Amino acid sequence: MTKADLVNAIAEKAGLSKADGEKALKAFTDAVTEALKAGEKVALVGFGTFSVGDRAARTGQNPQTGAKIEIPAAKNPKFKAGKALKDAVQ
């Protein structure tokens, strides 16, 4: 499913125009992004939880040259599916 398909599905299920469906999707993604930037979790009961995970600094290896490189610590977004979503997919 592409973003356009998702916008169409939101608009159809919510009885909105495609433009309003796109605004709703953008508002959702912006709100989740802002919350994650602030270090908060976003929990949607039955659907899942968005959170931020810490990845420690580590030493890697360049596959072409074999040279060791330092990979800095980073934060990355995570999603854990809720029980209702897991059950619906099975």
Side-chain angles (χ1 to χ4, degrees), residues 4 18 21 32 35 41-42 48 61 65 67-68:
K18 287 184 185 180
V32 170
K41 284 184 179 180
V42 179
Q61 188 173 9
T65 64
K68 296 212 181 278

Side-chain angles (χ1 to χ4, degrees), residues 55-73:
R55 183 178 294 166
R58 61 197 186 280
T59 302
Q61 188 173 9
N62 182 331
Q64 290 182 335
T65 64
K68 296 212 181 278
I69 57 173
E70 291 299 316
I71 301 169

Side-chain angles (χ1 to χ4, degrees), residues 33-82:
T33 302
E34 288 172 14
L36 294 178
K37 276 184 175 179
E40 301 173 13
K41 284 184 179 180
V42 179
L44 303 172
V45 176
F47 184 72
T49 303
F50 296 92
S51 62
V52 176
D54 291 321
R55 183 178 294 166
R58 61 197 186 280
T59 302
Q61 188 173 9
N62 182 331
Q64 290 182 335
T65 64
K68 296 212 181 278
I69 57 173
E70 291 299 316
I71 301 169
K75 293 182 181 236
N76 60 321
K78 298 189 307 186
F79 177 75
K80 183 175 183 208

